[in-house]
């Protein structure tokens, strides 16, 4: 969808991990990418470039949230992450972002959820039986289409997004934790962000996460690009 908007020259992901961890993540998610260090050369022809930032310095300079009580040395990073996970803040937006994954949203969008579930299902990540695929791996059925009480017509059905998050949690984060665990403990609690920048360096869109799962809506980003074009 980004490509169809036109005018998108580069897509960059800065990952708080080592170059080898970046390559591992891209292999899990089937990104059409190349990997590079923060100071390394990259192939200008790739669709997505992954940049390695093991210490999270780029994010802090961008102004992302550092998580719950980042300067409190008496708490372990795992305790801080647990507090954020149960909604204790700041940041305070974890529960408002997490709960709609369980309750659904009649006005939500699910195309990207189905695409992501399909990618995980083909990779063998559990749960791996949500979608029905034909011989050409096209989606022909979704178990959430049978959600009762008329909720199957919702844009995002109850537990649909939560199922995708569970698939990623078990199949990537937990299964490969030893390979993907932060190089710098500060990155365990540090949140993320997003920006759209014109060629001249002017930012036309900026976002910082305010809790776990509090990420920008890709359709808002597409709209910003459309307006700018």
């Amino acid at each position: 969808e980004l490509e169809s908007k036109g005018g998108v020259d580069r897509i960059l992901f800065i990952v708080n991990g080592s170059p080898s961890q970046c390559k591992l993540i891209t292999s899990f998610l089937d990104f059409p990418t190349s990997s590079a260090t923060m100071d390394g050369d990259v192939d200008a022809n790739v669709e997505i470039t992954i940049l390695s930032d093991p210490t999270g310095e780029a994010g802090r300079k961008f102004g992302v949230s550092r998580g719950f009580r980042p300067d409190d040395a008496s708490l372990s990073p795992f305790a801080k992450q647990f507090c954020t996970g149960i909604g204790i803040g700041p940041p305070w937006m974890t529960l408002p972002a997490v709960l709609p994954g369980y309750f659904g949203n009649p006005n939500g969008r699910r195309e990207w959820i189905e695409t992501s579930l399909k990618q995980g299902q083909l990779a063998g990540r559990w749960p791996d039986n949500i979608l029905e695929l034909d011989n050409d791996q096209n989606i022909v059925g979704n178990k959430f289409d049978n959600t009762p009480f008329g909720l199957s017509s919702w844009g995002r059905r109850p537990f649909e997004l939560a199922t995708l998050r569970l698939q990623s949690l078990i199949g990537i984060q937990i299964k490969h934790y030893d390979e993907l665990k932060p190089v710098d403990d500060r990155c365990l609690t540090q949140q993320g962000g997003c920006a759209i920048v014109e060629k001249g360096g002017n930012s036309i869109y900026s976002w910082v996460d305010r809790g776990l799962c509090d990420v920008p809506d890709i359709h808002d980003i597409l709209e910003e690009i459309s307006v700018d074009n």
Side-chain angles (χ1 to χ4, degrees):
E1 287 190 60
L2 282 170
E3 290 178 340
S4 69
K5 295 296 179 181
V8 179
D9 293 330
R10 302 186 73 187
I11 302 173
L12 307 177
F13 277 86
I14 301 177
V15 176
N16 294 339
S18 66
S20 63
Q21 289 174 320
C22 291
K23 292 178 180 178
L24 190 59
I25 291 173
T26 60
S27 69
F28 291 150
L29 301 179
D30 297 334
F31 279 176
T33 66
S34 76
S35 297
T37 63
M38 290 294 289
D39 297 321
D41 294 329
V42 297
D43 182 350
N45 295 319
V46 298
E47 295 181 36
I48 302 174
T49 299
I50 306 294
L51 300 176
S52 170
D53 181 23
T55 66
E57 184 63 24
R60 290 190 291 276
K61 288 183 176 180
F62 183 68
V64 302
S65 170
R66 295 166 58 208
F68 179 71
R69 301 180 67 85
D71 298 315
D72 187 347
S74 67
L75 283 177
S76 75
F78 293 97
K80 297 175 184 179
Q81 185 75 328
F82 175 78
C83 289
T84 301
I86 62 175
I88 300 175
W92 292 103
M93 290 300 292
T94 292
L95 291 183
V98 168
L99 292 179
Y102 296 95
F103 297 146
N105 182 350
N107 300 313
R109 302 282 295 266
R110 64 173 179 270
E111 297 94 334
W112 66 274
I113 300 176
E114 285 192 334
T115 300
S116 299
L117 282 170
K118 174 184 171 181
Q119 193 276 331
Q121 185 167 316
L122 291 174
R125 293 196 289 271
W126 185 88
D128 56 2
N129 61 348
I130 301 300
L131 303 176
E132 180 183 352
L133 306 177
D134 63 18
N135 292 334
D136 296 321
Q137 299 183 345
N138 298 308
I139 299 173
V140 296
N142 183 332
K143 287 189 175 181
F144 288 100
D145 293 340
N146 301 319
T147 305
F149 308 115
L151 302 180
S152 62
S153 63
W154 280 20
R156 186 183 303 157
R157 285 74 69 94
F159 291 96
E160 195 162 19
L161 178 55
T163 300
L164 172 61
R165 290 170 176 167
L166 178 66
Q167 192 185 72
S168 299
L169 176 66
I170 294 176
I172 296 179
Q173 292 172 260
I174 293 178
K175 183 177 180 180
H176 299 280
Y177 179 77
D178 286 341
E179 301 135 288
L180 295 175
K181 62 185 178 182
V183 176
D184 187 312
D185 283 345
R186 292 175 295 178
C187 295
L188 185 64
T189 58
Q190 185 166 304
Q191 307 295 304
C194 176
I196 302 173
V197 182
E198 295 177 318
K199 284 186 176 180
N202 179 51
S203 175
I204 60 174
Y205 177 89
S206 180
W207 170 281
V208 291
D209 300 349
R210 300 158 296 176
L212 301 181
C213 299
D214 181 51
V215 296
D217 189 319
I218 184 61
H219 299 286
D220 291 340
I221 293 176
L222 291 170
E223 183 177 340
E224 287 291 339
I225 294 174
S226 298
V227 170
D228 184 62
N229 284 340

